[in-house]
Amino acid sequence: MVARVNYDEVEAGTELPPLTIPVTRGTLVQYAGASGDFNPIHWNEKFAKEVGLPDVIAHGMFTMASAVRVVTDWVGDPGALVEYGVRFTKPVVVPNDDKGALIEVSGKVAAKLDDAARTVRVDLTVTSAGQKVLGQSRAVVRLA
């Protein structure tokens, strides 16, 4: 794969197409199986509430990985991602119903970093149920 976004055509302030990610209890079970993270706070409502959570919550790494898709979808090549980091600020609460939760992600090119390497920094805003769930969410990506 090759990045399809051209560095010369991007400026600071360029907005990425937003992404909405649905999350259900089934999604969490699938992620637990793939990751090996079977912590009961991610599937057992009774346990989650006993430890002080409002309900079952999504895995932090699932939330982080899902959010960066806004960048990889935009650039067209997951291998173009050079660096990515976040701070976990609030959990994504996933109710046991037919709707689950939604993770809303938007991104904006914050800066052109290196003309020779053709890299930019993209700042992400990641929310669920109106609350910011990831803070300082930033990705560095190499463009075409």
Side-chain angles (χ1 to χ4, degrees), residues 91-109:
V92 175
V93 178
V94 183
N96 190 18
D97 60 19
D98 59 344
K99 296 177 187 170
L102 295 175
I103 300 171
E104 305 282 347
V105 188
S106 61
K108 185 183 288 189
V109 174

Side-chain angles (χ1 to χ4, degrees), residues 1-8 10 71-72 74-84 109 111-122 139-144:
M1 298 181 100
V2 176
R4 65 176 181 239
V5 177
N6 190 302
Y7 179 82
D8 298 323
V10 172
V71 176
T72 59
W74 171 67
V75 76
D77 178 8
L81 186 65
V82 175
E83 183 179 316
Y84 178 48
V109 174
K112 292 179 100 169
L113 301 178
D114 184 344
D115 288 346
R118 304 180 74 79
T119 54
V120 298
R121 189 185 90 219
V122 177
V140 174
V141 64
R142 186 176 331 287
L143 303 179

